[in-house]
Amino acid sequence: MAIVQGVVIVALEAVIATQNVMQSSMVPSSNSTAIERLNRIKWENVAFIGFQVWVMAMAVDATVQQNAAEVCTLAILYVVCAVLAGLQILDNDRWQVNLNGSVSNIMPLMTAHAVEIALTVCLVVFAIAFVYLSYKMVLEFGWEIYKKIGADLAIQKMYRVFQFFVLCLKIDIFVEFLVSCFYFLQFVIKPGNISNWQSWIFLVITVLMLPMLWIARQAVSKESITQMIVFMVFQLLVIFEFILVMIGTSSDAWYIWICFVAIGIFFAVMTIVLGSVCCHNFNRGLSPFVQRGSTKSQMADPNRASNAYSNISWNIDDD
């Protein structure tokens, strides 16, 4: 269902972006404010398309990894998508009023408005359907976790915290890295801004984001407190960056952008909180269940060897 939704939403957003570009070309060059805002809306549509592609990938990953926390969060994100689509309609209404009279033809903006309404309706329907399916999937995934970990409630609780932390890292790929890249490309590298000290902060933090997210995933596998502390300090810098972004753009009344930045700050805080809890759970028996790749196989081999030895012992006793 996630793939079907993604294809439908991406197609509708592409139509909206095309209409906004057409409308921008019809605005007189003297109205620089409207031209800049319509260009921002175009990139906003591109960001929304990227968001949908990312959500599709997350949905596939949640199904393959059988991550109940990820499935529940995706259900919430679908609701957030519907809210953001509603904000697009309000923004369109505002610019129809602003351009009416100063521009002879606002038909592309009106067409985009109609498509935005259809987009919002589709997102609401998809959100309701996904919430229901998420409930069914979580019940099944709960049984899979039980089979993987066993009946130890303490281990199950720590494993769920680990799942939520890894989920936050995946969400941070969009709400931190991609949003930061978007801001850097749209605002920071403008002529006259690149020499600003804030520009260098944005550049360094943006470049380090993906490596730091990878370090955080390694930290929970290796149970490295040092790596986790480094990552959490970096997340504080991300929050500082996003506060600067919020201060710098809040006067533009760009509702969807403000929502993206606010969501980024929220998940940065959640990542720090969950990372702290994961640090508290280090060396308490969770490590064998959170490994990946060759490390996971190496940790599983001794168990298989132990079982084989146990079987041989029983065979000897039987003789």
Side-chain angles (χ1 to χ4, degrees):
M1 190 192 77
I3 296 176
V4 173
Q5 170 181 334
V7 172
V8 173
I9 301 308
V10 167
L12 291 176
E13 275 293 339
V15 172
I16 295 170
T18 301
Q19 295 301 313
N20 286 327
V21 171
M22 291 177 59
Q23 186 64 68
S24 177
S25 64
M26 298 177 181
V27 177
S29 58
S30 58
N31 194 345
S32 58
T33 302
I35 292 175
E36 182 180 2
R37 183 65 188 95
L38 288 170
N39 284 332
R40 287 186 183 181
I41 292 175
K42 174 190 68 178
W43 287 106
E44 176 185 298
N45 299 142
V46 173
F48 206 93
I49 290 172
F51 182 70
Q52 286 298 322
V53 173
W54 172 78
V55 168
M56 278 194 297
M58 289 277 288
V60 174
D61 179 74
T63 305
V64 173
Q65 300 296 330
Q66 298 183 331
N67 190 327
E70 193 168 345
V71 170
C72 293
T73 304
L74 280 173
I76 297 173
L77 287 177
Y78 280 123
V79 176
V80 171
C81 283
V83 174
L84 293 178
L87 290 177
Q88 282 186 316
I89 296 175
L90 295 177
D91 204 30
N92 188 300
D93 288 336
R94 183 164 67 95
W95 280 99
Q96 283 193 49
V97 173
N98 290 341
L99 294 178
N100 192 20
S102 62
V103 178
S104 59
N105 183 8
I106 59 170
M107 185 58 66
L109 207 57
M110 295 174 66
T111 302
H113 185 270
V115 179
E116 285 165 355
I117 293 175
L119 173 69
T120 304
V121 172
C122 289
L123 281 170
V124 170
V125 172
F126 281 127
I128 294 173
F130 196 84
V131 167
Y132 173 76
L133 292 176
S134 298
Y135 172 74
K136 295 293 186 180
M137 293 171 70
V138 166
L139 295 179
E140 177 64 24
F141 290 173
W143 172 242
E144 293 297 329
I145 292 175
Y146 175 81
K147 289 193 294 183
K148 178 179 180 179
I149 296 178
D152 191 323
L153 295 180
I155 297 293
Q156 286 187 15
K157 183 178 180 180
M158 290 188 291
Y159 186 75
R160 291 189 184 280
V161 172
F162 160 78
Q163 282 190 317
F164 276 110
F165 177 72
V166 173
L167 172 61
C168 279
L169 297 181
K170 295 175 182 178
I171 294 175
D172 288 343
I173 293 174
F174 183 85
V175 299
E176 288 186 9
F177 177 68
L178 293 181
V179 169
S180 185
C181 285
F182 179 79
Y183 180 78
F184 187 83
L185 294 174
Q186 286 295 300
F187 300 99
V188 176
I189 62 175
K190 285 185 175 181
N193 289 344
I194 195 65
S195 60
N196 192 318
W197 63 271
Q198 293 183 9
S199 300
W200 292 102
I201 291 178
F202 294 144
L203 175 61
V204 172
I205 292 177
T206 302
V207 169
L208 291 177
M209 275 183 182
L210 290 182
M212 282 295 176
L213 294 174
W214 179 81
I215 287 174
R217 181 60 181 88
Q218 293 295 108
V220 290
S221 296
K222 298 178 180 178
E223 297 193 338
S224 171
I225 294 179
T226 302
Q227 288 182 333
M228 188 64 79
I229 290 175
V230 170
F231 170 73
M232 288 190 289
V233 170
F234 179 78
Q235 286 297 105
L236 291 175
L237 295 177
V238 172
I239 294 173
F240 173 68
E241 177 200 14
F242 276 23
I243 290 174
L244 292 178
V245 171
M246 186 74 79
I247 293 173
T249 58
S250 59
S251 60
D252 293 344
W254 191 357
Y255 306 123
I256 294 182
W257 170 253
I258 293 172
C259 286
F260 274 133
V261 176
I263 292 171
I265 293 174
F266 171 78
F267 276 103
V269 172
M270 288 300 301
T271 303
I272 293 173
V273 172
L274 292 170
S276 301
V277 178
C278 286
C279 283
H280 177 72
N281 292 335
F282 285 173
N283 301 316
R284 298 178 65 183
L286 183 62
S287 180
F289 304 105
V290 298
Q291 303 302 318
R292 298 182 300 172
S294 59
T295 305
K296 182 176 181 179
S297 300
Q298 290 171 7
M299 297 191 73
D301 285 341
N303 295 330
R304 286 195 293 266
S306 176
N307 292 336
Y309 178 79
S310 177
N311 291 335
I312 293 173
S313 299
W314 279 109
N315 290 335
I316 294 173
D317 290 340
D318 289 340
D319 291 337

